[in-house]
Amino acid sequence: MDKKKGTMIKDAVILCLITLVLGFVLAGVYAITKEPIDRAQAEANNEACASVVQEGDTVQDADAELLKQATEYLQKHDLSAKEIAEGDTLLTYVEVSEVHPTANGGLVFLATATKGYGGDIGFALGVGADGAITGIAITSQGETAGLGANCENEEWQKGFAGKVTPSDPTKNMYYKGAPEEEASQVQALSGATVTTRAITNAVKGIMFFADTVRGAE
């Protein structure tokens, strides 16, 4: 019995040592790969930001104060732009990580739509000084191939250009069949309503905030 107990203790010690060694190895791999991964992501984000502004415009450094204001707005308003104290706020649907002013008076947002079918959907969104979208670029997504993953389709993304905040803030920014308000709605991705809704709800929330920055009614 004592021999069996000693063997069990020995095996437990060996297992602990193996676990420790593997932990150190994984930590080393993470330390080695983290910097190039972060650098590659930063470059991809910069390219996405540059791609969503109008020709001739330039993206400036991120503005920490605008980011703070955006986060506070998203925490206090819902999908109809109504101010609420708690509950289903815009922050449920979109998180903004960076806000960049542009040389021509617009704004570029790096954000995440949090209600995608396959999880978070990262994107960059440009909003011009006139309040219209200048472009959108999907930066990351895990949607279903051939369906929601078509959000990366360049033609679909081009459909956002020129769109403005819905005149009725309770309305969706997408349509099926025929648009109710063409100036503010993009066509839904075929077979991917969840993905479409996630992205357009996130965009709508950002547009609400951008309107407040412009002082729009």
Side-chain angles (χ1 to χ4, degrees), residues 84-136:
I84 56 175
E86 58 183 14
D88 203 22
T89 67
L90 285 166
L91 204 58
T92 306
Y93 301 92
V94 58
E95 296 175 359
V96 175
S97 57
E98 294 181 17
V99 183
H100 297 257
T102 75
N104 290 348
L107 295 170
V108 171
F109 299 83
L110 277 175
T112 301
T114 60
K115 294 286 188 177
Y117 185 82
D120 291 347
I121 302 171
F123 64 96
L125 181 76
V127 181
D130 61 354
I133 294 173
T134 54
I136 189 172

Side-chain angles (χ1 to χ4, degrees), residues 92-207:
T92 306
Y93 301 92
V94 58
E95 296 175 359
V96 175
S97 57
E98 294 181 17
V99 183
H100 297 257
T102 75
N104 290 348
L107 295 170
V108 171
F109 299 83
L110 277 175
T112 301
T114 60
K115 294 286 188 177
Y117 185 82
D120 291 347
I121 302 171
F123 64 96
L125 181 76
V127 181
D130 61 354
I133 294 173
T134 54
I136 189 172
I138 304 299
T139 57
S140 63
Q141 56 86 20
E143 304 300 276
T144 306
L147 296 172
N150 288 336
C151 65
E152 290 192 333
N153 183 290
E154 188 175 336
E155 287 303 311
W156 186 71
Q157 292 179 41
K158 285 181 179 178
F160 283 84
K163 300 303 181 185
V164 296
T165 309
S167 59
D168 179 350
T170 66
K171 296 294 185 181
N172 290 321
M173 284 191 72
Y174 70 91
Y175 67 90
K176 296 179 180 180
E180 294 180 80
E181 187 174 84
E182 192 169 354
S184 63
Q185 293 180 315
V186 298
Q187 186 170 23
L189 289 164
S190 179
T193 303
V194 174
T195 303
T196 303
R197 185 185 300 118
I199 295 172
T200 54
N201 279 345
V203 168
K204 186 166 77 163
I206 291 173
M207 296 289 283

Side-chain angles (χ1 to χ4, degrees), residues 41-63:
Q41 185 62 59
E43 291 175 356
N45 287 342
N46 289 338
E47 290 177 5
C49 287
S51 73
V52 298
V53 297
Q54 293 177 328
E55 187 175 352
D57 201 358
T58 55
V59 181
Q60 300 177 344
D61 291 340
D63 188 311

